[in-house]
Amino acid sequence: DCVQSPNLDIVFVVDESGSICDTDPGFVYGRDSTCTNFRNLLTFVSNLVDSFTIGPSNYRVGMVTFSSSAEVRWRLDRYYTKADLQAAINSIPYTGGNTFTTGGIRLMRTQVFTQSGDRPDASNLAIIITDG
């Protein structure tokens, strides 16, 4: 059971494409408005992280986002406290664009897992969140 494992390296691969906000009635492209659907997605991730024991010898969390391109937000050795990690999650801006899921998965595999912070004695877990 990976949830009980003391050593777990988790990477969230999160969709921030335009379709995330297509059904958000308060969101208008090109205006200074917040996409509630994307904020809800980040709140879900933050709440999930709240159940983890975060630390260098416990759970480590990395983040990749994708839309028209993919971006490593942080690697597994960036945040070692739950508060810092949740603040980082909640500060991710919404970008919109196309859905480039394969780019997000590729970055997770090549730029987060196998890079600094990925521990050989820890299980790797990817959590991919997308609407398409």
Side-chain angles (χ1 to χ4, degrees):
D1 184 54
C2 67
V3 174
Q4 299 302 318
S5 173
N7 289 341
L8 188 61
D9 292 342
I10 303 168
V11 178
F12 287 93
V13 183
V14 176
D15 186 347
E16 60 179 352
S17 66
S19 58
I20 295 293
C21 293
D22 282 349
T23 61
D24 190 333
F27 184 76
V28 179
Y29 286 101
R31 291 196 186 158
D32 186 22
S33 58
T34 300
C35 174
T36 304
N37 292 344
F38 187 67
R39 290 291 119 207
N40 289 342
L41 187 153
L42 295 180
T43 298
F44 169 77
V45 172
S46 182
N47 288 342
L48 188 58
V49 163
D50 198 45
S51 67
F52 301 158
T53 302
I54 303 297
S57 300
N58 297 294
Y59 288 23
R60 294 183 181 186
V61 175
M63 176 72 74
V64 172
T65 58
F66 63 91
S67 58
S68 296
S69 62
E71 178 180 350
V72 174
R73 295 292 178 163
W74 60 86
R75 290 186 173 78
L76 295 161
D77 57 355
R78 175 77 182 266
Y79 297 108
Y80 291 130
T81 70
K82 192 177 297 187
D84 288 344
L85 179 58
Q86 288 176 312
I89 291 166
N90 291 318
S91 69
I92 295 173
Y94 174 71
T95 60
N98 296 318
T99 306
F100 187 40
T101 310
T102 56
I105 293 170
R106 183 178 305 114
L107 275 186
M108 174 264 307
R109 286 180 39 250
T110 63
Q111 299 298 315
V112 183
F113 291 137
T114 74
Q115 298 296 314
S116 66
D118 184 27
R119 300 167 291 173
D121 63 333
S123 297
N124 288 344
L125 174 65
I127 300 174
I128 301 168
I129 303 173
T130 182
D131 70 339

